[in-house]
Every structure is written in structure tokens, then in C-alpha cells.
Amino acid sequence: MHAIRRQTRTRATLAITTAAVLSCGAVIKSEAPAAHAAAAIDPTSYVNIVAHEDDDVLFLNPDLAAPLRAGDPNVTIILTAGEADGSPFTTPATSQADFAAQREDGSRAAYAKMMGLADNWTRQDVIRPTDADYEMDTLVGAPQVKLIFLNIKDGGDPNELDDLTNLNSGADSSISTFVPNNTVVTPTPQVYTKQSLINTLDALLNQFQPTVVRTQQPSDIYNYALDNVDHLAAASFTDQAMASYHGPGGDRHVILEHFRDYADNNMPDNLSSTQRNDKETIFQTYEAHDANAYHYDADSPDPDYKNWPNRQYQRWPAGSAWNATDADGRIEAFAVEDGTVMRWYQTTPGGPWTGPEALATPGGELAPQLSIVRNTDGRLQVFAMQYDSVAGTSNVVTAAQTTPGSSFGGWTNLGNPNGTGDQTGLPAVGVNANGDLQVFAKNYYGGVSTLIQSSPGGSFGTWTDLGGGGGVQDGLSVASDSAGRIQLFAKRCDIPAAQTWGYQIVSCWLAHWSQGTANGTGTWDATEWAKGGISDQPVIGRNQDGRLQVFFRQAGGSDVETVAENSDGSWNMTPVDFSGNGGTGSVAVATNTGADARIFIFERDNSSGVSVTQQSAANGTVNNLWTAMGGLVEDLPAAAVDSNGKVVLTTLGTDGRLDIQTQEAAGAALTFSGWQPVGS
């Protein structure tokens, strides 16, 4: 991020007098005791890895603040010093060394603000005998909150352009750090090789034992604002370090999340007023120390800094369709953890759960959104997007049960709609009337491509471009209507005139592709439904009478809206708003059974918990009264109906384990069991 500082703030710094040795072999110089000397494992713990001092508060928030305030351990690792070329917006101009120091001040102030504590930190020089030193700061009054500054040179430093990127690509074999003014670290530039930086991040991950790791986007999004190269490199280095970290104590319960950065420039606002106001207050606390951010916010014709606090998007949202019902009626849930797919399932229909069971490792990283479908022979099949941020590749991969209800076989690579590159979208899968599975994915140019099984349960053919006109965003939703025709819905957006850093918001709408007849080729609906009114990915539900219904978040806020299929198969595309309790991301839906079967709608809300509402009657309107179910969930919920007719809500907890809530009795009542961890 290009950022600066408006004023200097006096540091609250404790004297550096003594040294203690950590279990990882590093030496900390400070009069405070060494943190994590015993490397105790906490049930919930976060590590954020970002390029610059403001990237976390701008792009990872509001998800950043909620667990901090809940008291969960949080370590944020900032890779670069952020010095750029100093700030030209002060008189006199701020030097690189002062600017880097001031941005660190801003980071400390923002975290103290989030915690409601004084801006008072213990600052430590971590001396590493075989590698580069770094600074680790601990918030006084909240020792579980730490900031780590590696101080690699910023990609915008005119003396050493794109150091982090060049190190990652191999163009540079080593790079040096930058020394901010008033640093507590030895005032001599240190050196990183690619492997030593990966080793440093891996050592920190293993020291702090996170259950959730957050970082930035490792690849640009074609046709939308190009990202800062430091952001992309920071995410790629995080991916590489994660290959050697396997969760607290090696239990594999670790979630990796990537967040969009400059690609947010073109997206509509998607935070509730409560979340926007909180995020703005946090960012303004940082901004008071960064003259570049203040300048762009107040004076620039491209006021990105003013608008970023209004939104948060993940690069690859996890979606809300990650569970399915087995051939014998058992619910199964799947999530990406520790670089592969984990599986939890009921041991008997409607009964207890077991798991997680790890599927084979596909190689490379998996994006978190999965599509689960049941073949005509009863076998469940999982589809995912596998990527390599260093090689710049991405492919759709799939794995299936060897027999119905059994374990899964290995992965099959279904390739890339464009043959090569890193722009493959997240797959969504439907079932044709003849039993063939059909895979859909966003392609390089922002259209949609598809590939179809040659026969039910058989191999897949080649990718075919369905068009779509560009601007399709990740998060497709697919279902078959009562006539057996596949219907696909997507969030599609205008393409900005210029893919630059500058702010240029575009309008997004509900795009619709459907088969004219069962097993047909299908066409796109030319109408830009709800244009300017959609922010997050749509989700398809099914009414008791078989009609499909689509749910999505409203742009400019976070209300949930819906459109429904008519009895003749046409669509009423006038959105109906039924409010919500805030939050971001797609909703989860499930339709219970019986004569009074209603669609239940779940959302991740303002508090990072879950709220629920439902139709007022079978096939009826949706209530705008939401019930908070509590909890602190890390990702979007999914829902299904068990063999007893009860709605079961599944979610990943902040500890990386599966949590569920089950209806206390089948029917329309919004009475659930409360959160229960299942499996191990």
C-alpha cells in the first residue's frame, strides 16, 4: 500500500535490558518475559500475514476485530517496512526511515483501538542466531495480541523495486531489510533468501500454533484493479510456509483464508452500517499516523482509502454448499484444512458424527469453496479449485467415493478452462436429467465454461465456453428445476474502464443461465436483473412445491434479498428485501420436509455469529425477523435436512473443528440445540 503519515506519535516503549531464549532458538532482548516460551497450544489462535502496516485493518477487517475482542490470541506479521519513498505530503517531506516508523506507530495504535486499551506496547528485538532479526511487540494489558515487523524493503522503494516479488520469482537470490527510525532491532540491515523467509514464517506459525491463518490475494482478477505486487508476494509466501505447518500440535485443524485487496476498488460496498462505522474508526486511528493514506482519503480524485472501510471480500469465498446427504441419508460435511479436504459424517442416519477424515492431498493449495454432488450410483463427489501461486496455475480437481457411503479415492485433474493460467474460478456442479454431472467455472475472461460427464459416473469431456460476456465473479450457484433443467446464477459486474489502482466502482447484477430443455445446451438471460443491487454470491433454495428461489446480499449494505421462480418456469426477478442482522458472504438455505416445509435461511451476521429466519409458510414470503443463534464462526455456514426431517446447521468454528446446531424437533419452529462440536 502506498501510505504516509500526518503526525508523529510518541511511543510507549519499555527499556530493552535483558535477553531470554525461546524454544525456537531466537533470543528476545527485553525486560519483559519471553512470550510462548513453552509454546502452549491454544484452542483458538489467529496469525495474519500481510505486506504492509495498513493491509490488515483495510482488507481483513471486520473479520480481524471480532476474535480480537473475544480475547483470542492474535499475531499479525507484517513483511515489509512500508517505507516506499517516504511521504511528499508533509512539510518538510518525510524520510523513508521516519515514514516506516510512523506506519508502525499506526499499526500499534489501530490494534490498541480494537482492543479498547491504551496504545502501550512492550517492544522486543528477537535475535535469531542463524537468520534475520525481527521486532515483536506485545500489547500491554492484552499479552495475547502481538505485532511482528520483518521490515523487508517495500516494493515501492525506488532504491530496490519489487524486492519481495523478485525474491519469490527467483529474480533475486537474496534481499535486505530496511531499518526504520527508532527501531528496537539491531540497526544493521539483515538478509533474507527465499528459503530463509519461508523458514521464518514457518517457525512463527509453529511457535504460535494458529487455528486460522489469514493473508492477502495471491493472484490478480482479470479485468479488475491490479493489486500491489507486495500483496501478491505476501500471500504466495504464506501459501508456501503453510505447506510445513499442520495445525496446533499437528492436528491438521488449520484454516487458510485469502482476502481481496485492490480488487475491492471496483466492488460495491457490502458491510452493514454497524460494521462500516467500526471499521472506519479503526482505520482512522491508523490513518492519523500515515500522511499518504490521509492525503488519498481527503484530497485524491481516487479516494480508495475512504471507500475500503465500506467493504470486505474474500478472494475465494468458502460458500455455503459444503455439505451433502449420502445415499443412505447420512449428512456429510467437507471443508479445506491443512491443504486438503477434510470430511465429517453421521455414522447413522440422523445419528452421531465422526471425523475429520482427510482425503488424499491433491498437491498445491486448494481454494476453500467446494461443490459436493451425488452421482446416480449414490457416490458423493467433491470438486475443488487447486492452484499454485508461484507457478501461476489453477485447475479444477475432483475426488469421488469408491463406493456409496465409503471413503474417497484420489484426485483427478480436470484441467483449466483456458488451458493455462491462474484465473480458473471456483467450480459449481449440477446434475442433468440423464444423470450426467455438469461442472461450471468462471474462466480467464470472466465468462463461464463447462464440462460434462460422457456418461453417468463416467469420465469428463473437454471444456466448452458458455460465454457470459465477462465480469462474472466467483461463487456460482447451480440447481435443477422441477423439469430437470439446470439453472445457474452468478454475480456479474460491469468491467471498469481502466484496471488501475484508482477507485472506480461498478454495478453488479444477478446473471442467469438456463437450459431450455432438460439436458440442453442452455443460454444466458440478457436482462441485467437487480443491476446495482447485489454484492455477494447468490444461493439457490427450493420451495416445497419444487420452485427454485435465489437469495443474495444487497449492495450498499448487507440485507438479504430474494427472487423466485414462477409456477410456469419463468422468473419474477423483482427482488424482495427481508432485512438481516448484518454480516457478509452468501447465505445458507435448507428446506425441511412435510406439508409445512419451509425454506430456512442462515447468515453469518454482524457479530461473526449466525442468524436465522424462514418462510412464513410453505412456498410463502420470507420473514424479516431474524433470530441470532450466537457463536463465533470462522466461515460461512451450510445447512441440510437429516433423515428425521430436522434442519442441521454446520459451520467451522474458530478452532478449526466442525460445530453443528440441530432443530430440536422437525417442523417450522426456530428452536435449535445450541452449538455442539462434533468429531475430533
Side-chain angles (χ1 to χ4, degrees):
M1 296 278 313
H2 24 276
I4 310 182
R5 161 188 167 89
R6 189 167 42 162
Q7 61 185 12
T8 303
R9 186 180 181 113
T10 303
R11 291 178 176 80
T13 306
L14 300 183
I16 302 167
T17 58
T18 62
V21 180
L22 288 181
S23 59
C24 62
V27 177
I28 292 181
K29 290 165 54 181
S30 171
E31 63 181 22
H36 287 264
I41 297 174
D42 196 278
T44 293
S45 181
Y46 290 79
V47 167
N48 312 297
I49 302 175
V50 296
H52 308 110
E53 289 83 352
D54 57 350
D55 290 342
D56 44 354
V57 295
L58 281 175
F59 304 123
L60 276 56
N61 234 355
D63 280 4
L64 177 68
L68 272 167
R69 291 164 175 163
D72 293 328
N74 183 98
V75 177
T76 297
I77 304 167
I78 300 170
L79 300 189
T80 80
E83 78 283 2
D85 198 18
S87 174
F89 303 119
T90 58
T91 305
T94 304
S95 70
Q96 290 177 305
D98 281 338
F99 184 43
Q102 292 162 7
R103 296 189 73 182
E104 290 184 2
D105 285 343
S107 188
R108 284 185 283 267
Y111 275 81
K113 181 70 174 180
M114 283 187 276
M115 293 299 295
L117 295 172
D119 187 10
N120 186 15
W121 297 75
T122 300
R123 298 178 58 198
Q124 302 167 323
D125 178 11
V126 179
I127 300 173
R128 308 175 70 220
T130 60
D131 219 324
D133 299 355
Y134 54 77
E135 178 174 338
M136 181 168 69
D137 299 349
T138 302
L139 181 59
V140 174
Q144 77 278 10
V145 178
K146 299 181 185 297
L147 296 172
I148 293 175
F149 301 100
L150 299 192
N151 285 325
I152 293 167
K153 288 184 179 177
D154 184 272
D157 188 325
N159 301 309
E160 295 285 347
L161 285 173
D162 301 340
D163 265 9
L164 200 60
T165 300
N166 292 336
L167 187 69
N168 194 34
S169 69
D172 289 343
S173 60
S174 64
I175 58 176
S176 61
T177 61
F178 181 86
V179 181
N181 277 347
N182 298 321
T183 183
V184 300
V185 178
T186 303
T188 302
Q190 310 276 312
V191 173
Y192 279 105
T193 65
K194 181 175 182 175
Q195 192 58 53
S196 71
L197 178 54
I198 293 171
N199 291 346
T200 296
L201 296 176
D202 177 61
L204 288 167
L205 290 169
N206 279 284
Q207 178 184 347
F208 292 107
Q209 299 281 291
T211 53
V212 180
V213 177
R214 300 192 187 109
T215 189
Q216 302 178 264
Q217 62 181 57
S219 60
D220 280 313
I221 301 173
Y222 181 77
N223 266 336
Y224 293 90
L226 297 176
D227 207 356
N228 183 299
V229 294
D230 284 344
H231 298 172
L232 303 177
S236 181
F237 273 110
T238 302
D239 289 346
Q240 294 170 76
M242 286 290 290
S244 300
Y245 174 66
H246 303 295
D251 66 5
R252 308 197 71 177
H253 289 297
V254 57
I255 304 166
L256 175 61
E257 298 173 337
H258 296 84
F259 288 77
R260 287 172 68 144
D261 303 304
Y262 288 0
D264 277 3
N265 292 14
N266 310 125
M267 290 294 101
D269 295 346
N270 69 338
L271 298 183
S272 68
S273 58
T274 299
Q275 290 177 311
R276 288 199 304 269
N277 292 338
D278 185 47
K279 186 171 179 178
E280 177 68 23
T281 299
I282 295 164
F283 176 62
Q284 286 175 347
T285 302
Y286 166 84
E287 188 183 37
H289 299 264
D290 186 328
N292 283 354
Y294 177 74
H295 171 82
Y296 283 113
D297 184 340
D299 306 318
S300 174
D302 297 323
D304 299 84
Y305 284 96
K306 185 176 181 179
N307 290 281
W308 277 320
N310 298 332
R311 58 186 75 110
Q312 175 197 277
Y313 289 93
Q314 289 196 8
R315 174 64 174 90
W316 295 301
S320 55
W322 43 274
N323 59 18
T325 303
D326 218 330
D328 60 3
R330 294 177 297 120
I331 299 174
E332 300 207 11
F334 301 82
V336 176
E337 295 190 324
D338 192 27
T340 193
V341 173
M342 298 292 179
R343 172 196 181 208
W344 295 261
Y345 55 92
Q346 292 177 317
T347 56
T348 58
W353 288 73
T354 189
E357 171 189 292
L359 275 63
T361 301
E365 285 291 340
L366 288 178
Q369 186 167 112
L370 304 172
S371 187
I372 321 297
V373 69
R374 194 166 69 209
N375 280 277
T376 54
D377 61 7
R379 293 178 302 128
L380 292 183
Q381 191 155 347
V382 178
F383 293 81
M385 191 273 280
Q386 179 269 334
Y387 70 96
D388 185 324
S389 59
V390 178
T393 61
S394 56
N395 298 285
V396 174
V397 294
T398 185
Q401 287 177 321
T402 54
T403 58
S406 70
S407 60
F408 280 70
W411 291 90
T412 299
N413 189 336
L414 300 180
N416 180 318
N418 297 99
T420 187
D422 61 3
Q423 294 295 304
T424 303
L426 305 172
V429 185
V431 183
N432 276 288
N434 63 7
D436 293 343
L437 302 186
Q438 185 162 355
V439 183
F440 301 86
K442 181 177 74 70
N443 57 38
Y444 184 92
Y445 299 103
V448 174
S449 293
T450 189
L451 109 157
I452 307 174
Q453 277 182 323
S454 56
S455 61
S459 60
F460 285 83
T462 58
W463 288 97
T464 301
D465 191 342
L466 298 178
V472 172
Q473 305 294 305
D474 268 320
L476 311 178
S477 189
V478 177
S480 295
D481 63 17
S482 57
R485 300 169 301 181
I486 290 180
Q487 310 277 322
L488 178 149
F489 285 87
K491 170 187 169 183
R492 183 179 166 197
C493 304
D494 289 323
I495 297 171
Q499 288 75 57
T500 63
W501 179 75
Y503 175 81
Q504 185 190 357
I505 196 168
V506 299
S507 291
C508 303
W509 63 92
L510 195 62
H512 177 215
W513 177 94
S514 63
Q515 293 175 330
T517 58
N519 309 311
T521 55
T523 58
W524 286 96
D525 189 332
T527 306
E528 297 174 346
W529 296 108
K531 185 163 187 179
I534 180 171
S535 64
D536 281 300
Q537 64 191 89
V539 171
I540 304 174
R542 188 180 303 276
N543 280 279
Q544 188 252 12
D545 61 13
R547 291 178 302 113
L548 301 182
Q549 191 155 347
V550 180
F551 301 86
F552 55 91
R553 296 271 194 173
Q554 177 192 68
S558 60
D559 280 5
V560 183
E561 298 190 336
T562 185
V563 298
E565 186 182 19
N566 297 315
S567 58
D568 64 358
S570 63
W571 284 82
N572 178 1
M573 287 291 196
T574 301
V576 176
D577 187 313
F578 56 101
S579 188
N581 284 345
T584 60
S586 61
V587 299
V589 298
T591 306
N592 62 346
T593 57
D596 191 28
R598 308 181 189 191
I599 300 176
F600 285 65
I601 304 99
F602 303 88
E603 67 173 1
R604 187 168 183 248
D605 58 29
N606 268 340
S607 65
S608 294
V610 175
S611 291
V612 60
T613 192
Q614 63 180 177
Q615 289 176 311
S616 57
N619 310 309
T621 59
V622 180
N623 290 317
N624 62 1
L625 298 176
W626 291 75
T627 300
M629 304 176 74
L632 184 64
V633 303
E634 188 50 39
D635 227 319
L636 301 175
V641 178
D642 70 12
S643 60
N644 298 316
K646 298 178 181 179
V647 176
V648 178
L649 179 68
T650 57
T651 188
L652 281 184
T654 57
D655 58 0
R657 288 169 166 79
L658 188 71
D659 291 333
I660 69 168
Q661 289 211 41
T662 305
Q663 256 187 318
E664 292 189 349
L670 292 176
T671 307
F672 284 76
S673 61
W675 292 112
Q676 299 173 343
V678 297
S680 59

